[in-house]
Amino acid sequence: MLENECTDFELKPSGWDEEARSAALHSFNVLDTPRERDFDDIAKIASHICGSPIAVVNLVDTKRQFFKAEVGLGTRSTPLETAFCRHALLEQDTLVIPDATIDHRLNSNPLVTGEPHIRSYAGALLKTADGQPIGTVCVLDYRVREFSDDQIEMLKFLARQAMTQLELRRTVAAQQKLLLRARAAERHRANFERVVRQASDFIGIADPQGKVLFLNDAARHLVGLQEDEPLPPDVMDYIIEADHQLFKEQVVPAVKSGQSYEQEIRLRHFETGEVVPALYTMFPMRDDEGELIGYGVVTKDLTELKAEDARRDGMMAEAAHRIKNTLSIVQAIVSQSLKRATTLEDAKVVISERVSALAKAQDVLTAGDGVVADIFDVVASALAPHDAGTNRFSVSGPASRLEARQALGLSLALHELATNAAKYGALSADDGKVEVNWTIGGDGAFQIVWTEIGGPHVETPVKTGFGSQLITKMVAPYFAGNAALEYHPDGVRFTLRGTVGMPGV
């Protein structure tokens, strides 16, 4: 089956070249594979029909030949130098050699001149659909002999069957590979969808006409849609009417031109009708050919950020407000201390102590994130500048540590209440008093009540100032609760309810 006179194909038939032929062979991924019954049966039938001791389903590569099936050889691969079948590849369909000793192509082959003394050969080509010869179904004998036309036809038939099996084998392998890819893609898609659905940001997809196709769980929650609720179809349905023009004039043209676009947009909440401020990022989605197939949207809820900005702005305004108040408090401290002091030295000591207490209250107000304070310290620091040592304050409640923002908020509220009480309320009267009482439940539920007693008659103001807004609107969010300022005729009453996260000390 192999010849010793050359190591590579030197004869080049017109129908193919060796590189293309080798590529065709390797496309079947059959070289060095285990034996398979379908191919073994073909070799057995060939041996039986032709009455030959050797039969092979042979695949010829560029340097060797591989026997997918064999009868009478006991080996699976041999080098190309002595191959009989290499000569068959140069034929149209079959190669028949009754006596190798007188054939110029094989008479010097060591398999003819020596062991095992091959004398006759008949082979039918294995050819791909486009005519590439990749091997043979062949038989060999140790005696000189002829092969009948029926035997040659049967070899050609078996060669076609072998090619059918190779094609089927390749098709099955390709289908299995596609199936594995499809399963992997489905797993990836399912994992991707799971990640997208569970993402904390608003994620959506719309088609090129603006019809909404998909919203993840966070998106549904953000705009107030239940999990199984049908999606409003139009992108504009999700945007408040006041921002429709902005969206049409800026967002849509940018995305259609192939760009991503980021803009603050106000969304509508379908259940409550509330406006939801959001950072709206929209980008085009294209197929492999670059055609627009839709739009992707990633939107971040800005509600908390906006609220924090408002609180920060309020704090800055309050800081300016406090600077003015601080000067008046210092003036009041000096005035009251001098008024009640018996000597100048006593006044100096009292004034120093009270200004120091005021400074401590300012330290609490400027505490940064991560700092905690005891509620007693917060209350004491806020009230100290107004406490002349005459027991005008009654303070009671359990120990608790407050987060920095809670300590800041409570200190602001108490300071403002004390300042107003000193100017207009109970602390402006000689016999006026203030009770500060708080409670803390096992679940962190918190309530603190400021009650003024013995002050001048109180009337509800026609217009509240900044201080009242500070007390009722800005402090409560730090406790995730609410606050109320009541003007009873016999004294002001302030109640703050919420939660504290760090009970106990």
Side-chain angles (χ1 to χ4, degrees), residues 16 29 33 78 86 104 200 248 250 353 359 399 407 409 412 418 427 432:
W16 49 269
N29 292 316
T33 57
T78 61
R86 61 166 296 182
H104 71 280
S200 59
K248 292 177 181 178
Q250 296 188 25
E353 290 176 350
L412 286 174
L427 298 182

Side-chain angles (χ1 to χ4, degrees), residues 264-285:
E264 185 176 323
I265 291 288
R266 290 172 292 178
L267 305 177
R268 57 179 293 219
H269 195 282
F270 289 98
E271 283 188 348
T272 65
E274 295 178 355
V275 175
V276 183
L279 184 63
Y280 192 91
T281 303
M282 196 169 184
F283 52 90
M285 299 171 61

